[in-house]
Amino acid sequence: MSNLDVLLDQAFLAYNQKDYDMAEDLARQVLTLAPAQGDGLYLLGLVASQMGAYEPAEKLLYQAVQLYPENKQYKLSLGFVLEKQGRLDEALSFYDPYKEDAFVLAEIGFIYLQKGQPDFAKSAFDKSLSLNGDVLTAYIGKSLILRRQNLFKDSLSLLEEALTHGQSAELYYQLAQAYRHVGKLKPALSAIENALKIQEVASFYNERGLIEEGQ
């Protein structure tokens, strides 16, 4: 294994362990050795995205895509960064070539939700789940559509079904809100505590405060 490969492995390991400073430092070492190394640019873009620095992330990911235009992950990550900046149609242009992928379809559904097109969003979520019944984000998206229609019990039932397929911080967060909306504050508190065990996010703490206030 070359020194470059070792550095890349260490960089991705640091990123996966959420040591973003170390990941960035190692990725920059990679690019010092090989300025056109796609994974180095990609990883720097991911780190910038995690920090909320979406414009620098976009530039880095664009470079990676230009160097390796067939790389699916580079394109999807660029689409995500564009979506975060509210550039929804541009994001769709990077997602569309991979819309037979269940997880990509779920992300496309969320873009349609942001565009105010719930029917298109539901269609994308439904197709996602028809391809893979374990895509938690598709369940979450469908539940949000129901919640916006004030169908709170139906929304909750869908999230409870999703929980039989897997767990995520976002799923527990949405479950906490769904339980709170129907007045089930004890399971709501349990759900938000589970979310916080997985990931500590300001919105999760805010939700816990609302539940405790309700109690």
Side-chain angles (χ1 to χ4, degrees), residues 86-152:
R87 291 154 61 186
L88 304 181
D89 290 327
E90 289 179 75
L92 273 176
S93 72
F94 286 96
Y95 290 148
D96 273 343
Y98 308 104
K99 59 186 176 185
E100 297 306 314
D101 181 308
F103 292 93
V104 176
L105 271 168
E107 201 60 44
I108 288 172
F110 278 103
I111 287 186
Y112 282 126
L113 271 185
Q114 294 175 73
K115 287 166 68 73
Q117 297 175 293
D119 291 340
F120 285 104
K122 183 178 182 300
S123 178
F125 294 137
D126 284 340
K127 186 173 181 182
S128 171
L129 290 171
S130 74
L131 293 171
N132 184 344
D134 293 332
V135 182
L136 301 183
T137 49
Y139 286 102
I140 291 170
K142 289 184 68 174
S143 76
L144 289 173
I145 293 172
L146 291 169
R147 190 183 302 173
R148 292 178 183 184
Q149 296 170 339
N150 295 324
L151 299 172
F152 297 116

Side-chain angles (χ1 to χ4, degrees), residues 6-151:
V6 171
L7 282 173
L8 274 173
D9 285 347
Q10 293 175 340
F12 278 104
L13 178 62
Y15 178 82
N16 291 331
Q17 293 175 340
K18 299 184 179 181
D19 187 347
Y20 300 128
D21 289 338
M22 177 62 73
E24 179 179 1
D25 180 63
L26 290 166
R28 291 193 183 283
Q29 290 183 48
V30 167
L31 292 173
T32 298
L33 294 172
Q37 217 293 330
D39 280 346
L41 292 165
Y42 168 63
L43 185 56
L44 274 183
L46 292 183
V47 170
S49 178
Q50 287 290 341
M51 300 296 102
Y54 295 121
E55 288 187 15
E58 177 190 340
K59 291 178 182 177
L60 289 160
L61 291 168
Y62 259 125
Q63 290 181 58
V65 168
Q66 287 171 346
L67 287 167
Y68 303 95
E70 301 305 315
N71 189 296
K72 175 182 176 180
Q73 200 53 54
Y74 295 175
K75 288 184 176 180
L76 293 179
S77 297
L78 179 54
F80 175 80
V81 167
L82 292 167
E83 181 183 350
K84 285 294 183 180
Q85 295 179 84
R87 291 154 61 186
L88 304 181
D89 290 327
E90 289 179 75
L92 273 176
S93 72
F94 286 96
Y95 290 148
D96 273 343
Y98 308 104
K99 59 186 176 185
E100 297 306 314
D101 181 308
F103 292 93
V104 176
L105 271 168
E107 201 60 44
I108 288 172
F110 278 103
I111 287 186
Y112 282 126
L113 271 185
Q114 294 175 73
K115 287 166 68 73
Q117 297 175 293
D119 291 340
F120 285 104
K122 183 178 182 300
S123 178
F125 294 137
D126 284 340
K127 186 173 181 182
S128 171
L129 290 171
S130 74
L131 293 171
N132 184 344
D134 293 332
V135 182
L136 301 183
T137 49
Y139 286 102
I140 291 170
K142 289 184 68 174
S143 76
L144 289 173
I145 293 172
L146 291 169
R147 190 183 302 173
R148 292 178 183 184
Q149 296 170 339
N150 295 324
L151 299 172

Side-chain angles (χ1 to χ4, degrees), residues 176 179-180 184-196 207-209 211-212 215:
Y179 280 126
R180 178 169 57 83
K184 295 183 177 182
L185 298 181
K186 186 174 180 179
L189 186 59
S190 176
I192 201 61
E193 292 294 353
N194 283 330
L196 284 164
E207 179 61 28
R208 187 174 69 177
I211 294 165
E212 290 173 342
Q215 288 180 318

